[in-house]
Amino acid sequence: MNPEGGAAAQPGSTSSDAHLREDSVSSERVFNGNFLHVQRDIVRLPDGAQASREYILHPGAVMIVPLLDDGRLLLERQFRFPMGRVMLEFPAGKLDAGEAPLRCAQRELIEETGYHAAEWAHAGVLHNAIAYSDEGIEIFFARGLTPGRQALDDGEFIELQAFTVAEVDAMCQDGRITDAKTLIGLLWLQRWQAGAWALKWVAAAQE
Amino acid sequence: MNPEGGAAAQPGSTSSDAHLREDSVSSERVFNGNFLHVQRDIVRLPDGAQASREYILHPGAVMIVPLLDDGRLLLERQFRFPMGRVMLEFPAGKLDAGEAPLRCAQRELIEETGYHAAEWAHAGVLHNAIAYSDEGIEIFFARGLTPGRQALDDGEFIELQAFTVAEVDAMCQDGRITDAKTLIGLLWLQRWQAGAWALKWVAAAQE
């Protein structure tokens, strides 16, 4: 994610991208919040001019598409303060420092929903705010779910609801679901169910 | 988008959501950048405790899925500094103050790609960072495209590329495309092409 870090080797960039590339001249932390951290870099543009780039430093996150044995999907209703309302979304959470994404996904699913999953699959990654955040969200699927007890963080209030795939599809179409990661979870689910995109399932690590 | 603004009337929230709802006790601007603005609210949680919420104030944005007459899709390659690399994505841009989303979509498509579209359809909206930004991205489709001249902003460097739907699908599967709005554009395109999600086309307004 680090703009300093070997961009040429990453997908999407090639060595012929000099006509598009921006290089950092200087970098400074301009806001340190409790939750948000803002970095400002002065960059050299492809034409030699300079510009400033402000962006959020984010530790990265995971999301989980939880498949219940009856074919329904487990979603969460949670009040999202920047939106001013309750949003319907797949479970998700931020990576702790040094935490592996699969481990984070297993931890968040248990904490937020109480469910343990017998099998996991990593689908891919999404970048949700490429103009102003380095956040990447790793996408996981979970199945073989057995219920248990939620262990929410202080200040976290989450209601669980299960829907059929057709219900989720309808809500993504008519605007009842607008959360980006949840829409992308539906894309992955539909492409996997169509046999077009593969998921490689692994057994959950023993706790 | 404003957390103060009548949340109960918005989709996803109901009058029975008091057990999830957070209410603002106080609100202050804690960072005013050139580009990013961070607000911090103290909120009252459903259990009566207080917590702080930091979030980006964003004017909102549009994205466009441009359908070329030969069936291919028009995408952009652009260096995204927070990612440290070139990203492949559908055209998009921020709303100017007071600008209608369709008008913004028409302006951004012409500025970034040079293409005029004869017909437009509004698909829906996505919220890309609901934990820390009030940004909503209105999703548009454009067809009947005729090429013209790009009019990029200062400091904007964009390369255009056209791909078949199958090529875009493959790149979304294998990680060459990870931009959230672009993945959601593919979801809308595939559901529309399957006859499952409707688009209502309108003729472009005369300039």
Side-chain angles (χ1 to χ4, degrees), chain B residues 46-171:
Chain B
D47 62 3
Q50 293 196 345
S52 92
R53 296 285 179 256
E54 290 170 358
Y55 54 101
I56 301 290
L57 292 176
H58 192 284
V62 301
M63 64 170 283
I64 305 115
V65 181
L67 308 172
L68 294 166
D69 286 349
D70 65 4
R72 291 183 304 163
L73 304 166
L74 186 66
L75 279 85
E76 298 181 353
R77 298 184 74 245
Q78 187 174 3
F79 191 85
R80 292 299 199 165
F81 192 77
M83 297 289 104
R85 61 182 168 91
V86 171
M87 304 285 286
L88 191 58
E89 55 186 291
F90 285 126
K94 276 192 296 189
L95 292 169
D96 286 341
E99 190 177 34
L102 175 58
R103 175 80 194 167
C104 177
Q106 294 177 339
R107 175 179 60 73
E108 289 285 354
L109 185 65
I110 292 170
E111 287 177 4
E112 293 191 356
T113 75
Y115 279 87
H116 284 251
E119 286 188 291
W120 288 83
H122 180 248
V125 63
L126 69 93
H127 295 107
N128 57 324
I130 60 178
Y132 62 85
S133 173
D134 69 352
E135 182 176 9
I137 303 180
E138 299 287 344
I139 306 163
F140 290 93
F141 279 64
R143 69 183 180 190
L145 299 180
T146 52
R149 201 203 314 230
Q150 263 181 329
L152 298 176
D153 292 336
D154 271 354
E156 207 173 37
F157 299 85
I158 291 173
E159 187 172 87
L160 302 178
Q161 287 191 340
F163 298 96
T164 66
V165 177
E167 287 169 337
V168 171
D169 183 89
M171 292 190 288

Side-chain angles (χ1 to χ4, degrees), chain A residues 82-153:
Chain A
M83 297 289 104
R85 60 183 168 92
V86 171
M87 304 284 286
L88 191 58
E89 54 186 293
F90 285 126
K94 275 192 298 189
L95 292 169
D96 286 341
E99 189 178 34
L102 175 58
R103 175 78 193 168
C104 177
Q106 295 177 338
R107 175 179 60 73
E108 289 284 354
L109 185 66
I110 292 169
E111 287 177 5
E112 294 193 354
T113 75
Y115 279 86
H116 284 252
E119 286 187 291
W120 289 83
H122 180 248
V125 64
L126 68 93
H127 294 106
N128 57 325
I130 60 178
Y132 62 85
S133 173
D134 70 352
E135 181 176 11
I137 303 180
E138 300 286 346
I139 305 162
F140 289 93
F141 279 64
R143 69 183 179 189
L145 298 181
T146 51
R149 201 204 315 229
Q150 263 181 329
L152 298 175
D153 292 336

